[in-house]
Amino acid sequence: MDDNDPGSRIALALDVPTLDSAKALIDRTREHIGTFKVGLELYTAVGPAAVEAVHAAGAKCCLDLKLHDIPATMGRSVARAACMGVAYLTVHGLAGLDSLRQASDNAGSARLLAVTVLTSLDEAALQAIGLSGGPQSAADRLAKLAWDAGVRGFVTSAHECAALREALGPDAFLVTPGIRPAGSDVGDQKRVMTPRDAIKAGADLLVVGRPIRDANNPTEAAAEIARQVQLALSP
Ligand code: C5P
């Protein structure tokens, strides 16, 4: 899939418990999706085989382990993940400057993505864990910290996307989960946006999970999201 294809702007979250179900979802959507995201559920269940399944389909892999540990462990874990040939790897901005620096120094050819604020957290939830000032200021602060550590990729709600783009410029690679086609179920996400609005807000890569995984026809759901991305990209 080339970079002009709308599917190159979509990462499908393989939030399923077995390798067979992951492979089935890849097969059904591959033609519309450029990147598949292996997250905690699948990686905990089947490990590197999940990454291999994505690569075997000729797609890019985003390994979404949201690493958050002391600097030495971060550096060593990121190096191991990079050896698997993943295109993207996530770490938590909250891990702090030294951990992010170690991650950045050991990422090799993987593009490191720092999670700013989980899209399931709203202002009240952030306050409860001691982060005051709301999602935008927390996202700005954590992105700045990650930037200073050499990280150039960021996972952020589409709501914070435009401000981050403004603050960080064209070199920042912005990845937005919490994508919901109009009318679809929000689930546990709090800060959601449609594919079209997320692209317009400056997102480089949209992460979509349940709207495709739980659709009656995942192939059609993926095609429809790709169509909406295509429309948003057309002048
Ligand atoms: O099902 P849904 O479209 O909400 O999927 C969102 C995916 O993005 C999940 O795999 C979740 O782990 C991930 N994610 C997120 N918020 C972040 C980072 C990753 O929802 N900040």
Side-chain angles (χ1 to χ4, degrees), residues 159-183:
H159 291 270
E160 282 91 57
C161 207
L164 279 187
R165 176 65 73 207
E166 175 83 25
L168 301 174
D171 289 346
F173 186 82
L174 301 179
V175 179
T176 57
I179 299 300
R180 291 293 179 270

mmCIF file of all heavy atoms in Angstrom, residues 159-183:
data_model
loop_
_atom_site.group_PDB
_atom_site.id
_atom_site.type_symbol
_atom_site.label_atom_id
_atom_site.label_comp_id
_atom_site.label_asym_id
_atom_site.label_seq_id
_atom_site.Cartn_x
_atom_site.Cartn_y
_atom_site.Cartn_z
ATOM 1 N N HIS A 159 -8.669 15.688 19.785
ATOM 2 C CA HIS A 159 -9.030 17.008 20.330
ATOM 3 C C HIS A 159 -7.798 17.846 20.663
ATOM 4 O O HIS A 159 -7.862 19.068 20.679
ATOM 5 C CB HIS A 159 -9.890 16.853 21.591
ATOM 6 C CG HIS A 159 -11.244 16.301 21.289
ATOM 7 N ND1 HIS A 159 -12.329 17.074 20.985
ATOM 8 C CD2 HIS A 159 -11.662 15.025 21.214
ATOM 9 C CE1 HIS A 159 -13.370 16.311 20.732
ATOM 10 N NE2 HIS A 159 -12.993 15.051 20.868
ATOM 11 N N GLU A 160 -6.684 17.173 20.984
ATOM 12 C CA GLU A 160 -5.462 17.924 21.310
ATOM 13 C C GLU A 160 -4.534 18.055 20.097
ATOM 14 O O GLU A 160 -3.472 18.672 20.173
ATOM 15 C CB GLU A 160 -4.697 17.239 22.441
ATOM 16 C CG GLU A 160 -5.296 17.483 23.829
ATOM 17 C CD GLU A 160 -6.312 16.414 24.195
ATOM 18 O OE1 GLU A 160 -5.951 15.236 24.197
ATOM 19 O OE2 GLU A 160 -7.474 16.763 24.475
ATOM 20 N N CYS A 161 -4.959 17.447 18.992
ATOM 21 C CA CYS A 161 -4.095 17.317 17.822
ATOM 22 C C CYS A 161 -3.709 18.670 17.209
ATOM 23 O O CYS A 161 -2.525 18.932 16.963
ATOM 24 C CB CYS A 161 -4.860 16.481 16.801
ATOM 25 S SG CYS A 161 -3.852 15.578 15.707
ATOM 26 N N ALA A 162 -4.693 19.504 16.967
ATOM 27 C CA ALA A 162 -4.412 20.766 16.276
ATOM 28 C C ALA A 162 -3.444 21.617 17.093
ATOM 29 O O ALA A 162 -2.489 22.198 16.541
ATOM 30 C CB ALA A 162 -5.717 21.519 16.014
ATOM 31 N N ALA A 163 -3.644 21.673 18.408
ATOM 32 C CA ALA A 163 -2.758 22.483 19.253
ATOM 33 C C ALA A 163 -1.346 21.900 19.278
ATOM 34 O O ALA A 163 -0.349 22.634 19.261
ATOM 35 C CB ALA A 163 -3.319 22.585 20.670
ATOM 36 N N LEU A 164 -1.256 20.555 19.291
ATOM 37 C CA LEU A 164 0.078 19.936 19.279
ATOM 38 C C LEU A 164 0.786 20.198 17.954
ATOM 39 O O LEU A 164 1.982 20.460 17.919
ATOM 40 C CB LEU A 164 -0.027 18.421 19.504
ATOM 41 C CG LEU A 164 -0.176 17.942 20.949
ATOM 42 C CD1 LEU A 164 -0.097 16.421 20.991
ATOM 43 C CD2 LEU A 164 0.897 18.535 21.845
ATOM 44 N N ARG A 165 0.038 20.106 16.864
ATOM 45 C CA ARG A 165 0.621 20.379 15.540
ATOM 46 C C ARG A 165 1.174 21.808 15.509
ATOM 47 O O ARG A 165 2.277 22.058 15.029
ATOM 48 C CB ARG A 165 -0.454 20.169 14.465
ATOM 49 C CG ARG A 165 -0.054 20.503 13.076
ATOM 50 C CD ARG A 165 1.044 19.619 12.505
ATOM 51 N NE ARG A 165 0.604 18.286 12.184
ATOM 52 C CZ ARG A 165 1.407 17.206 12.175
ATOM 53 N NH1 ARG A 165 2.679 17.327 12.476
ATOM 54 N NH2 ARG A 165 0.950 16.016 11.885
ATOM 55 N N GLU A 166 0.388 22.707 16.039
ATOM 56 C CA GLU A 166 0.786 24.125 16.091
ATOM 57 C C GLU A 166 2.068 24.296 16.918
ATOM 58 O O GLU A 166 3.001 24.987 16.525
ATOM 59 C CB GLU A 166 -0.384 24.901 16.739
ATOM 60 C CG GLU A 166 -0.160 26.358 17.003
ATOM 61 C CD GLU A 166 -0.432 27.180 15.755
ATOM 62 O OE1 GLU A 166 -1.206 26.716 14.900
ATOM 63 O OE2 GLU A 166 0.164 28.277 15.651
ATOM 64 N N ALA A 167 2.105 23.604 18.060
ATOM 65 C CA ALA A 167 3.246 23.761 18.970
ATOM 66 C C ALA A 167 4.499 23.060 18.439
ATOM 67 O O ALA A 167 5.610 23.558 18.623
ATOM 68 C CB ALA A 167 2.881 23.216 20.350
ATOM 69 N N LEU A 168 4.322 21.886 17.801
ATOM 70 C CA LEU A 168 5.495 21.061 17.461
ATOM 71 C C LEU A 168 5.910 21.160 15.994
ATOM 72 O O LEU A 168 7.021 20.768 15.640
ATOM 73 C CB LEU A 168 5.218 19.589 17.813
ATOM 74 C CG LEU A 168 4.879 19.315 19.287
ATOM 75 C CD1 LEU A 168 4.488 17.850 19.475
ATOM 76 C CD2 LEU A 168 6.055 19.656 20.189
ATOM 77 N N GLY A 169 5.008 21.643 15.143
ATOM 78 C CA GLY A 169 5.371 21.823 13.732
ATOM 79 C C GLY A 169 5.247 20.558 12.906
ATOM 80 O O GLY A 169 4.814 19.516 13.392
ATOM 81 N N PRO A 170 5.670 20.658 11.625
ATOM 82 C CA PRO A 170 5.429 19.559 10.673
ATOM 83 C C PRO A 170 6.235 18.299 10.958
ATOM 84 O O PRO A 170 5.908 17.235 10.443
ATOM 85 C CB PRO A 170 5.836 20.169 9.319
ATOM 86 C CG PRO A 170 6.713 21.324 9.653
ATOM 87 C CD PRO A 170 6.306 21.824 10.996
ATOM 88 N N ASP A 171 7.299 18.390 11.744
ATOM 89 C CA ASP A 171 8.121 17.201 12.004
ATOM 90 C C ASP A 171 7.483 16.230 12.983
ATOM 91 O O ASP A 171 7.916 15.086 13.101
ATOM 92 C CB ASP A 171 9.507 17.599 12.538
ATOM 93 C CG ASP A 171 10.344 18.233 11.442
ATOM 94 O OD1 ASP A 171 9.952 18.106 10.254
ATOM 95 O OD2 ASP A 171 11.356 18.864 11.771
ATOM 96 N N ALA A 172 6.467 16.694 13.709
ATOM 97 C CA ALA A 172 5.812 15.790 14.669
ATOM 98 C C ALA A 172 4.899 14.830 13.912
ATOM 99 O O ALA A 172 4.200 15.229 12.974
ATOM 100 C CB ALA A 172 4.988 16.602 15.663
ATOM 101 N N PHE A 173 4.912 13.556 14.308
ATOM 102 C CA PHE A 173 4.033 12.543 13.700
ATOM 103 C C PHE A 173 2.931 12.271 14.727
ATOM 104 O O PHE A 173 3.195 11.790 15.831
ATOM 105 C CB PHE A 173 4.858 11.281 13.407
ATOM 106 C CG PHE A 173 4.099 10.231 12.654
ATOM 107 C CD1 PHE A 173 3.969 10.298 11.277
ATOM 108 C CD2 PHE A 173 3.522 9.165 13.333
ATOM 109 C CE1 PHE A 173 3.272 9.320 10.577
ATOM 110 C CE2 PHE A 173 2.824 8.182 12.638
ATOM 111 C CZ PHE A 173 2.703 8.262 11.260
ATOM 112 N N LEU A 174 1.690 12.614 14.356
ATOM 113 C CA LEU A 174 0.598 12.577 15.337
ATOM 114 C C LEU A 174 -0.349 11.408 15.080
ATOM 115 O O LEU A 174 -0.900 11.272 13.987
ATOM 116 C CB LEU A 174 -0.171 13.899 15.302
ATOM 117 C CG LEU A 174 0.666 15.153 15.598
ATOM 118 C CD1 LEU A 174 -0.195 16.407 15.519
ATOM 119 C CD2 LEU A 174 1.337 15.052 16.965
ATOM 120 N N VAL A 175 -0.521 10.597 16.102
ATOM 121 C CA VAL A 175 -1.344 9.385 16.017
ATOM 122 C C VAL A 175 -2.523 9.560 16.962
ATOM 123 O O VAL A 175 -2.345 9.880 18.143
ATOM 124 C CB VAL A 175 -0.512 8.154 16.437
ATOM 125 C CG1 VAL A 175 -1.354 6.886 16.377
ATOM 126 C CG2 VAL A 175 0.723 8.021 15.549
ATOM 127 N N THR A 176 -3.737 9.350 16.428
ATOM 128 C CA THR A 176 -4.925 9.598 17.256
ATOM 129 C C THR A 176 -5.840 8.384 17.371
ATOM 130 O O THR A 176 -6.456 7.971 16.397
ATOM 131 C CB THR A 176 -5.756 10.770 16.665
ATOM 132 O OG1 THR A 176 -6.097 10.437 15.335
ATOM 133 C CG2 THR A 176 -4.997 12.058 16.676
ATOM 134 N N PRO A 177 -5.934 7.812 18.576
ATOM 135 C CA PRO A 177 -6.985 6.824 18.855
ATOM 136 C C PRO A 177 -8.280 7.558 19.218
ATOM 137 O O PRO A 177 -8.352 8.787 19.117
ATOM 138 C CB PRO A 177 -6.447 6.052 20.068
ATOM 139 C CG PRO A 177 -5.220 6.768 20.523
ATOM 140 C CD PRO A 177 -5.073 8.028 19.729
ATOM 141 N N GLY A 178 -9.289 6.793 19.627
ATOM 142 C CA GLY A 178 -10.558 7.424 19.995
ATOM 143 C C GLY A 178 -11.289 7.902 18.756
ATOM 144 O O GLY A 178 -11.958 8.945 18.760
ATOM 145 N N ILE A 179 -11.164 7.153 17.655
ATOM 146 C CA ILE A 179 -11.832 7.524 16.397
ATOM 147 C C ILE A 179 -13.172 6.800 16.316
ATOM 148 O O ILE A 179 -13.247 5.585 16.483
ATOM 149 C CB ILE A 179 -10.944 7.142 15.195
ATOM 150 C CG1 ILE A 179 -9.605 7.899 15.258
ATOM 151 C CG2 ILE A 179 -11.672 7.399 13.880
ATOM 152 C CD1 ILE A 179 -9.726 9.413 15.233
ATOM 153 N N ARG A 180 -14.228 7.557 16.077
ATOM 154 C CA ARG A 180 -15.564 6.978 15.968
ATOM 155 C C ARG A 180 -16.286 7.570 14.769
ATOM 156 O O ARG A 180 -16.522 8.785 14.738
ATOM 157 C CB ARG A 180 -16.386 7.277 17.234
ATOM 158 C CG ARG A 180 -15.901 6.555 18.496
ATOM 159 C CD ARG A 180 -16.121 5.049 18.374
ATOM 160 N NE ARG A 180 -15.645 4.329 19.549
ATOM 161 C CZ ARG A 180 -14.412 3.846 19.709
ATOM 162 N NH1 ARG A 180 -13.506 4.024 18.764
ATOM 163 N NH2 ARG A 180 -14.087 3.177 20.794
ATOM 164 N N PRO A 181 -16.627 6.724 13.768
ATOM 165 C CA PRO A 181 -17.477 7.230 12.689
ATOM 166 C C PRO A 181 -18.768 7.757 13.309
ATOM 167 O O PRO A 181 -19.194 7.230 14.342
ATOM 168 C CB PRO A 181 -17.750 5.992 11.835
ATOM 169 C CG PRO A 181 -16.739 4.988 12.247
ATOM 170 C CD PRO A 181 -16.342 5.299 13.654
ATOM 171 N N ALA A 182 -19.356 8.788 12.700
ATOM 172 C CA ALA A 182 -20.572 9.376 13.246
ATOM 173 C C ALA A 182 -21.593 8.295 13.577
ATOM 174 O O ALA A 182 -21.814 7.390 12.781
ATOM 175 C CB ALA A 182 -21.140 10.367 12.244
ATOM 176 N N GLY A 183 -22.166 8.363 14.772
ATOM 177 C CA GLY A 183 -23.247 7.445 15.141
ATOM 178 C C GLY A 183 -22.781 6.140 15.752
ATOM 179 O O GLY A 183 -23.605 5.341 16.196
#
